[in-house]
Amino acid sequence: MEENIIKGEKIERKIFWNVGELTYNLLINFKNTVLQIDAATNQELTGSILLKRAVRLATFFKKYGIGLGDTVAIMSENRLEYCTVPVASFFVGATIAPLNPDYTVGELNHILNFSKPKLIFATPSAASKLKQVKEKLDCVKHIILFDSNEENDIFLSFNNIIKGSEDENAISTFSVEKYNPKETVAAIFCSSGTTGTPKGVMITHDNITSCIEIWSHNISRMKIDKNEDPRDVIIGITPFCHSFGFITMYFYILRGKLMIVSQKFSPTIFLDTIVKYRIRTIVAPPTLLVFLIKNPIVKQYDLSCVKEVIAGASPLGKETEIELRERFKFRHAGQSYGMTETTWGVISSPHQETKLGSVGRILPGMMAKIIDDKGNALGPYENGELCLKGPMIMKGYIGNEATTLNCIDEDRWLHTGDVAYYDNDKYFFIVDRTKELIKYKGFQVAPSELEDLLLSHPAVNDAAVIGLPDEYSGELPLAFVVKKPGKDVSSDELKRLISENLSSQKQLRGGVIFIDEIPRNHVGKTLRRVLKIEAVKRLLKHKF
């Protein structure tokens, strides 16, 4: 039903350039603006330095025959040099393919087989893995290393390529390639791969410029003093190899705002950075926000400068949200919902108008609906699959038309696989991931609900709940728990916590297993399949 399709505010599109043209024109205006600072070394990257380096690298691309239809990969931790590669790629029309530095050789073989990059930029620590992969892939011509001057038939030096980029004349004589932003793929991001092998998500230039316009409009509606925009400075802690981290990084460049770049999470560097730069906004996965609550080192720091926190990449539990609000008295503590397939967040909590447990309202220019098993659009408070539509939805999965058609229907609705509902005010609530729901005797049990309650216990530092296979009941909820240092709790005590607060089908009949660390991917999503394998191993060992 049409009335059950939730539509965001209409906005007029004003950007018709490709991302390369947009970036070039904005960087001309940001020449004297410091865009990034390395959190560990305090080295600065201005708009002028970025533009000169990107023009130099783009000129190298052109001489090397890299352009429209070609792919350039980058396998690196967060660093100041990172953004030069996508900017230069967009200047010539090449597609950027970010890679997780932690990928194994096997994972790289799978991913590079569908992205097919001609060049791979990487840190020296990734050189040996990439060399093994290159031997099997004819498409990869060279590996370009950061922090190295080594050059041979396989490796080139990034430093040598950008040498001489100080030349101002190179900018005035350089021209950005023109190409169709709606059809041209700007980036190939890897889906998280928590429920199978990673897929290549094709994000177009129009997806990215739509994202920029939609979010710029959304920020303009924030109820704040425009002279004290809390989003002027941000910490770049989420890996740039993930769409959430990459788009956040690029968005801040296009806004001319400062990002403090952190290579990897370090509690002291993270907290020192907040205090030193008076960070007012933290945009991060929930695991980082749980750290702010749980880690005792946080109490040693004055974090009163932080005015808002926004959770992304995975759901923020109600108990965590409550504790964040009570502990820090943030002006705004909210969530955003998005997927790799939606470019960035497409549902977000309105500024200072959040609802507890909600991921917010659909953004301007986008549409959402909740459907039942027959595809009917449901009304308020009815659980079903969340579907999304609009200019931020991906083009599709590269080289995988069947999976694309299974995910995006003929009317261009993206079927997210997430169970959700919305209320009378059109705020959306994510119940759980369809494939992660535990099926106990026909009942659907959401792991996040149990995890949220377990995390409220003062002795619990982290928790993850999975379904343990059971012949009689289908699946039994089982909890993996990490204890807080110096604290103790028994499995019976945690089972009692669940029994006293949740209904019968949600009890921990599979038991409680105490472990040292919950396995997660690089953006903090729980690797439930890894935990399920471990649980089954323990079950089989116990039986025999």
Side-chain angles (χ1 to χ4, degrees):
M1 298 175 65
E2 184 67 24
E3 62 265 30
N4 291 335
I5 294 177
I6 312 303
K7 298 179 180 180
E9 175 189 351
K10 286 187 177 181
I11 61 170
E12 182 183 350
R13 292 293 305 274
K14 296 178 180 179
I15 301 175
F16 302 103
W17 290 322
N18 61 55
V19 180
E21 292 172 301
L22 177 63
T23 307
Y24 183 89
N25 289 314
L26 288 174
L27 286 180
I28 291 290
N29 296 322
F30 298 150
K31 280 189 173 182
N32 299 319
T33 304
V34 178
L35 298 175
Q36 294 183 356
I37 297 177
D38 188 292
T41 67
N42 296 316
Q43 183 182 355
E44 296 182 351
L45 179 71
T46 63
S48 177
I49 294 172
L50 174 56
L51 180 57
K52 289 174 183 177
R53 288 179 177 177
V55 165
R56 186 74 173 183
L57 183 56
T59 303
F60 167 82
F61 284 162
K62 288 183 176 183
K63 289 181 179 179
Y64 212 81
I66 303 293
L68 193 63
D70 296 319
T71 300
V72 173
I74 179 168
M75 186 174 177
S76 170
E77 72 288 340
N78 293 5
R79 56 189 300 138
L80 297 191
E81 294 88 350
Y82 198 109
C83 58
T84 303
V85 182
V87 172
S89 299
F90 298 152
F91 281 175
V92 301
T95 300
I96 189 73
L99 303 171
N100 186 345
D102 295 330
Y103 280 149
T104 64
V105 171
E107 289 170 324
L108 284 170
N109 277 320
H110 169 73
I111 292 164
L112 296 180
N113 264 307
F114 62 65
S115 59
K116 293 181 169 51
K118 287 189 174 179
L119 299 174
I120 303 177
F121 289 78
T123 51
S125 61
S128 60
K129 285 189 287 189
L130 289 171
K131 185 178 179 181
Q132 292 180 58
V133 173
K134 185 185 180 304
E135 292 172 354
K136 298 179 181 179
L137 291 173
D138 294 334
C139 61
V140 180
K141 304 304 180 186
H142 283 287
I143 299 164
I144 300 171
L145 298 179
F146 299 119
D147 298 330
S148 174
N149 293 319
E150 178 185 357
E151 293 203 339
N152 51 43
D153 291 341
I154 298 175
F155 300 112
L156 296 179
S157 166
F158 176 81
N159 292 336
N160 289 342
I161 291 172
I162 64 167
K163 193 175 291 182
S165 60
E166 298 80 10
D167 182 12
E168 289 281 354
N169 293 327
I171 296 176
S172 60
T173 58
F174 181 79
S175 61
V176 178
E177 296 295 320
K178 295 184 181 297
Y179 43 88
N180 187 338
K182 285 187 176 292
E183 294 300 323
T184 305
V185 177
I188 300 172
F189 293 119
C190 291
S191 61
S192 298
T194 55
T195 56
T197 56
K199 299 177 289 291
V201 176
M202 295 186 289
I203 298 298
T204 67
H205 285 259
D206 190 62
N207 288 150
I208 295 177
T209 55
S210 296
C211 175
I212 300 304
E213 287 192 287
I214 286 170
W215 271 95
S216 295
H217 180 77
N218 199 48
I219 289 174
S220 71
R221 300 185 305 175
M222 288 168 53
K223 297 177 180 179
I224 56 172
D225 182 343
K226 298 302 179 185
N227 295 320
E228 269 209 7
D229 185 347
R231 302 185 191 191
D232 278 347
V233 186
I234 196 172
I235 302 177
I237 192 71
T238 306
F240 295 164
C241 62
H242 185 269
S243 59
F244 179 44
F246 183 97
I247 297 297
T248 302
M249 175 268 292
Y250 213 93
F251 184 46
Y252 267 72
I253 288 174
L254 296 182
R255 291 185 70 220
K257 301 298 184 181
L258 177 61
M259 172 176 279
I260 312 302
V261 176
S262 184
Q263 289 197 6
K264 60 181 180 179
F265 178 71
S266 161
T268 52
I269 291 179
F270 175 66
L271 294 168
D272 286 340
T273 299
I274 292 175
V275 174
K276 180 179 179 179
Y277 293 98
R278 304 294 295 166
I279 302 293
R280 287 177 283 181
T281 296
I282 296 174
V283 180
T287 47
L288 194 60
L289 303 182
V290 169
F291 158 81
L292 290 176
I293 298 170
K294 297 286 186 178
N295 198 304
I297 193 177
V298 176
K299 295 180 179 179
Q300 301 174 23
Y301 290 80
D302 177 9
L303 302 184
S304 58
C305 59
V306 180
K307 302 302 180 185
E308 62 176 36
V309 291
I310 304 168
S314 57
L316 180 69
K318 284 186 180 180
E319 295 296 331
T320 301
E321 191 174 342
I322 291 171
E323 202 164 347
L324 277 170
R325 293 172 186 272
E326 292 179 349
R327 175 81 67 85
F328 297 103
K329 309 298 181 186
F330 294 131
R331 181 169 61 192
H332 174 73
Q335 302 188 56
S336 286
Y337 171 89
M339 305 168 66
T340 305
E341 291 84 349
T342 65
T343 308
W344 211 30
V346 291
I347 299 175
S348 186
S349 300
H351 197 257
Q352 298 186 58
E353 295 178 10
T354 60
K355 285 193 177 186
L356 186 62
S358 171
V359 292
R361 303 182 70 180
I362 191 72
L363 288 182
M366 297 298 295
M367 293 188 287
K369 65 180 179 179
I370 304 295
I371 63 170
D372 61 18
D373 292 340
K374 296 180 181 179
N376 300 312
L378 302 173
Y381 302 102
E382 294 185 275
N383 286 357
E385 183 182 15
L386 172 64
C387 297
L388 301 163
K389 186 176 181 179
M392 288 174 63
I393 304 302
M394 68 169 181
K395 185 175 185 177
Y397 296 114
I398 188 168
N400 200 333
E401 186 176 355
T403 305
T404 300
L405 292 174
N406 191 48
C407 182
I408 300 177
D409 64 30
E410 57 185 12
D411 293 322
R412 292 296 299 174
W413 281 98
L414 172 73
H415 293 247
T416 67
D418 283 327
V419 178
Y421 69 90
Y422 61 91
D423 65 12
N424 289 327
D425 297 319
K426 299 177 182 177
Y427 278 73
F428 284 82
F429 297 78
I430 305 299
V431 176
D432 216 320
R433 184 75 183 158
T434 304
K435 294 179 181 178
E436 292 178 353
L437 288 174
I438 298 167
K439 307 292 178 63
Y440 172 75
K441 290 187 176 179
F443 291 98
Q444 293 185 336
V445 179
S448 59
E449 185 177 14
L450 280 72
E451 291 163 359
D452 196 20
L453 187 55
L454 290 168
L455 282 169
S456 70
H457 194 285
V460 174
N461 208 31
D462 206 354
V465 175
I466 57 112
L468 182 68
D470 180 76
E471 290 180 359
Y472 177 68
S473 302
E475 290 180 310
L476 302 175
L478 179 150
F480 284 86
V481 173
V482 179
K483 295 179 185 178
K484 231 176 183 180
K487 300 284 187 178
D488 197 20
V489 61
S490 67
S491 59
D492 287 341
E493 188 176 351
L494 293 178
K495 287 180 181 179
R496 191 160 55 249
L497 174 67
I498 299 296
S499 67
E500 290 173 354
N501 290 276
L502 297 177
S503 56
S504 174
Q505 69 268 22
K506 300 176 183 179
Q507 301 310 301
L508 292 174
R509 292 178 172 84
V512 175
I513 297 175
F514 293 101
I515 55 176
D516 295 328
E517 184 180 15
I518 302 294
R520 289 190 167 89
N521 69 5
H522 59 288
V523 290
K525 288 187 178 179
T526 303
L527 296 176
R528 298 187 195 278
R529 57 187 172 84
V530 174
L531 291 174
K532 189 164 284 192
I533 291 170
E534 176 62 24
V536 172
K537 282 181 180 177
R538 295 189 184 214
L539 178 65
L540 291 173
K541 186 177 180 180
H542 178 73
K543 282 185 175 180
F544 298 100

